[in-house]
């Protein structure tokens, strides 16, 4: 089994889910007492969130790049960045290490493409919904057109993430709002919905959603499991 490095803490609520799903995935595939071979660096989210708000992305990227170097030095053979939004600084992380960063956008795009989806709703932080680092990757690599909420609804989606979900508060009112927004995006032509924040899956767990849901965290974990359990190529 290959050693996987996880950059987490953004927020720790979803990082906990990553840890659980990676271990369950290894157990289900290998059986017995097998568990995931992992290294975890969980950052303090408060300074990162402040840097996001201030637009100090280079500083945030430097923090994660340093953490990535530490994981590589400790033996990680690939990295999962356990957040959607911070993939905005994916290039800074990739430049800091010699091991692959398994990109969450590729995990989502592969799942959508496999389902024949060409128009997908996207819910996430305002950074993920507004900026090109996520939407353009899906369009250019997978041919996916992304639909996002109108500005007022987008602001509420973002508020719920930072003021509720990242604090472990999963309220019925927020769940109802998210489901209603997915219905509106379905009317606009969305064929599926990307849960583009790793906490949203926790909010909508077990819900009867108006669109098929692609949980970015679950798809990212599946990509990590594929890496961990693939037999490395051996040279003669």
């Amino acid at each position: 089994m290959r050693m996987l490095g996880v950059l987490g803490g953004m927020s720790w609520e979803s990082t906990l889910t990553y840890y659980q799903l990676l271990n369950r995935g290894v157990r289900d595939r290998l059986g017995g007492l097998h568990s995931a071979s992992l290294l975890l660096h969980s950052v303090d989210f408060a300074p990162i969130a402040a840097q996001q708000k201030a637009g100090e992305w280079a500083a945030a990227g430097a923090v994660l790049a340093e953490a990535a170097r530490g994981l590589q030095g400790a033996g990680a053979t690939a990295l999962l960045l356990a957040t959607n939004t911070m993939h905005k600084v994916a290039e800074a992380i990739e430049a800091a290490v010699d091991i692959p960063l398994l990109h969450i956008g590729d995990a989502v795009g592969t799942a959508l493409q496999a389902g024949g989806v060409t128009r997908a709703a996207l819910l996430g932080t305002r950074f993920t919904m507004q900026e090109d680092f996520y939407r353009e990757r899906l369009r250019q690599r997978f041919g996916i057109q992304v639909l996002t909420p109108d500005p007022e609804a987008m602001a509420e989606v973002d508020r719920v993430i930072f003021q509720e979900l990242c604090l472990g508060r999963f309220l019925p009112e927020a769940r109802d709002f998210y489901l209603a927004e997915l219905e509106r995006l379905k009317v606009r032509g969305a064929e599926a919905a990307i849960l583009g924040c790793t906490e949203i899956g926790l909010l909508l767990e077990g819900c009867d959603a108006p669109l098929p849901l692609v949980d970015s965290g679950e798809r990212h974990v599946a990509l990590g499991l594929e890496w961990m359990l693939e037999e490395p190529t051996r040279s003669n």
Side-chain angles (χ1 to χ4, degrees), residues 1-23:
M1 187 190 312
R2 291 169 167 169
M3 178 80 74
L4 186 66
V6 179
L7 278 166
M10 300 162 281
S11 70
W12 69 261
E13 293 283 348
S14 60
T15 302
L16 175 61
T17 301
Y18 267 75
Y19 183 76
Q20 290 174 327
L21 292 178
L22 285 165
N23 278 288

Side-chain angles (χ1 to χ4, degrees), residues 139-219:
R139 185 185 67 82
Q140 293 177 6
R141 295 195 175 204
F142 302 96
I144 307 296
Q145 179 184 354
V146 172
L147 304 177
T148 55
D150 63 35
E152 183 177 351
M154 185 180 290
E156 178 62 8
V157 169
D158 183 79
R159 184 200 68 78
V160 167
I161 289 169
F162 282 101
Q163 296 184 22
E164 297 179 15
L165 306 188
C166 287
L167 300 176
R169 301 174 63 208
F170 303 98
L171 304 180
E173 297 83 1
R175 187 177 301 114
D176 292 344
F177 171 76
Y178 273 53
L179 292 173
E181 192 55 37
L182 290 179
E183 182 62 46
R184 285 189 283 271
L185 290 164
K186 178 181 179 180
V187 171
R188 288 172 50 194
E191 302 159 347
I194 304 165
L195 305 186
C197 171
T198 47
E199 288 82 13
I200 297 176
L202 300 173
L203 177 68
L204 299 185
E205 186 175 6
C207 288
D208 184 14
L211 287 167
L213 303 180
V214 177
D215 187 311
S216 58
E218 290 182 357
R219 299 317 309 163

Side-chain angles (χ1 to χ4, degrees), residues 1-4 21-31 34-38 77-78 102 221-234:
M1 187 190 312
R2 291 169 167 169
M3 178 80 74
L4 186 66
L21 292 178
L22 285 165
N23 278 288
R24 287 173 185 166
V26 170
R27 178 197 63 193
D28 292 346
R29 288 161 177 77
L30 299 184
H34 285 288
S35 57
S37 181
L38 295 176
T77 62
L102 307 180
V221 164
L223 185 60
L225 287 168
E226 181 181 328
W227 175 271
M228 292 173 69
L229 299 177
E230 177 183 323
E231 285 295 327
T233 302
R234 300 182 184 278

